[in-house]
Amino acid sequence: MPALVEQVGGALLAAAGDPSQLLPARQMMAFTLGFHIVLVPFGVAFTFLMLIANYRGLRRGDDEALLLARRWSQVAGVLFAVGAVSGTVLSFELGLLWPGLMGRFGAAFGIPFAVEGLFFFLEAIFVAIYLYGWNRMRAWAHFWSGVPIVLAGIGGTWSVVAANGWMNQPAGFRLRDGQVVDVRPLGVLLNGAFWHEAVHMLLAAYMVAGFTVAGVYAVGMLRGRKDRYHRLGLAISFTVAAVCAPLQILVGDLAAREVFQEQPAKFAAMELVPATHTHVPLLLGGFMADGEPHWGIEIPWGASILAGESPSTRIVGLDAIPADVRPADRIVTTVHLSFDVMVSLGFLLLGLSLWWGLCWWRRRRMPQSRLFLRCTAVSGALALVALWAGWVVTEVGRQPWTVVGFLLTRDAVTTAGNVWPFFAATVALYVAVAYGTFLALRLLRRRWRAADEHPGEPDAREVDVPYGPSRAREAASAENRA
């Protein structure tokens, strides 16, 4: 999705006088970010769902909850390994594709990534302990070994978001003769965009993970598997996502107001505002052409009310942006439509969450109609599209800047070599990684299904590692050797 968005009007870059490597560099970055961002919610939030199931199993003696926790931990282990691969590629791309950014601003921009590296290694250590600790540690000690996984995932995500926030609202340094000096690490990390971006991303991660996992169990229930195991898997994951949905709407509103105050060019693109004035309508859909919006559905005064809670709120339009750094019409259209997609899907998921909450409030049970299950089955995909759209707003909405006010994207990109072959190699690598991930997860599913069909076999419902030999097979092998 992000890569497709970046392609809109991309062929015109060369005609605009941009460096020859800008188009492939942006395409490559968009593709790898779009792939990696799919894995982030599972590193951040899926492990939290795992701990909820583990806690419930220990507190209530619930074997089904413990089984869910163990199986989810195996999936988390696979996805963590895949995320490590895709994240490593991204770290190399920053240096290879954007030497203007890293060479000039690395002393400040690199701080959040150094912090993220510490969280990554902490998370990796405890992922290994938690996976290996099943039936080898005391139950509660094993549970508490999973808590640092969740905390490190949150810390790592917030570190990366701090880097993105810094690019939108640079802080914590001074320039002297074009060089970064007097870097203040906390100023870099806690920049003006950090808090609303960090909370917004965290809630988005929990929604994506929650709705996606709930969708898996909803599909199972649609196929007739309405046992307690599937109902519990759906209930835990959907409840987390449903709690986050209204909070996300509130945080999103606050974030939009922050963008209005601190990033006027981005807000003007989000709302398709060509000229500075008050009583600005809210446009649903539409596009920008020749500096004017077309075909949008207007809600009178809506944008002004969204920005400042009053129709008389004055919104800075695109005409106030200097012509040499004013975003092109295609960029404005991309940002506006992505913002509309994100908000629309957010409200759809809120409606689904309210449906769940109403049924639980009235009947103390989750809805099980086929319509609800069908909606839940696709909710994970909708949440992921909303996440992609939100990152398009953040990244494309900053253009033509890489570091707003300090470094243009065309000045940050590499001018050496040819990026297209590296882009093709990256796509091939990611296709191979995705296929390997699919095979590993399918093997896990087959083991689980076989275990459910033969529950009487010793330890049939448990395996020691995600795709190692079962303990029953190991025992049989030992007997044969004897």
Side-chain angles (χ1 to χ4, degrees), residues 403-480:
V403 181
V404 175
F406 291 93
L407 180 66
L408 291 168
T409 303
R410 64 172 177 260
D411 296 328
V413 73
T414 182
T415 57
N418 186 352
V419 175
W420 286 115
F422 291 101
F423 183 21
T426 301
V427 171
L429 171 65
Y430 276 44
V431 168
V433 169
Y435 183 65
T437 305
F438 169 76
L439 291 180
L441 295 179
R442 188 175 68 169
L443 180 57
L444 283 176
R445 187 189 66 176
R446 286 179 176 176
R447 282 181 167 240
W448 297 339
R449 185 168 296 176
D452 291 338
E453 291 173 356
H454 304 90
E457 294 183 3
D459 296 326
R461 287 159 70 89
E462 298 176 354
V463 292
D464 287 337
V465 293
Y467 26 72
S470 68
R471 302 178 78 183
R473 288 182 183 175
E474 287 181 334
S477 242
E479 288 180 4
N480 290 335

Side-chain angles (χ1 to χ4, degrees), residues 158-322:
W158 279 10
S159 299
V160 175
V161 171
N164 180 267
W166 180 87
M167 295 165 77
N168 287 312
Q169 293 180 228
F173 71 98
R174 289 192 305 109
L175 281 182
R176 180 186 300 159
D177 299 326
Q179 299 297 316
V180 172
V181 297
D182 296 338
V183 176
R184 302 182 303 280
L186 284 180
V188 172
L189 292 168
L190 303 179
N191 56 78
F194 169 74
W195 287 110
H196 68 81
E197 283 194 21
V199 177
H200 201 45
M201 177 59 200
L202 183 64
L203 291 172
Y206 276 79
M207 288 178 67
V208 170
F211 283 123
T212 300
V213 175
V216 171
Y217 291 94
V219 170
M221 294 178 70
L222 285 169
R223 294 176 177 175
R225 295 192 289 272
K226 295 190 177 182
D227 51 85
R228 185 173 180 277
Y229 173 82
H230 283 79
R231 295 198 308 272
L232 184 61
L234 175 61
I236 291 174
S237 52
F238 196 101
T239 299
V240 170
V243 169
C244 292
L247 297 176
Q248 183 70 305
I249 298 297
L250 175 61
V251 171
D253 179 66
L254 295 175
R257 295 176 195 274
E258 285 293 323
V259 171
F260 164 70
Q261 294 289 343
E262 304 295 338
Q263 303 175 59
K266 181 183 292 186
F267 190 84
M270 288 162 52
E271 299 298 344
L272 228 58
V273 182
T276 303
H277 58 103
T278 62
H279 297 80
V280 179
L282 181 67
L283 284 179
L284 304 179
F287 61 93
M288 185 71 80
D290 299 324
E292 293 294 331
H294 298 272
W295 298 100
I297 301 174
E298 289 192 5
I299 298 178
W301 308 343
S304 289
I305 294 174
L306 171 66
E309 301 180 350
S310 169
S312 60
T313 301
R314 180 176 176 271
I315 297 179
V316 175
L318 294 168
D319 64 337
I321 311 300

Side-chain angles (χ1 to χ4, degrees), residues 132-150:
Y132 188 76
W134 283 103
N135 293 340
R136 291 183 174 88
M137 298 171 63
R138 293 181 182 275
W140 281 107
H142 176 252
F143 167 81
W144 287 110
S145 74
V147 173
I149 300 174
V150 176

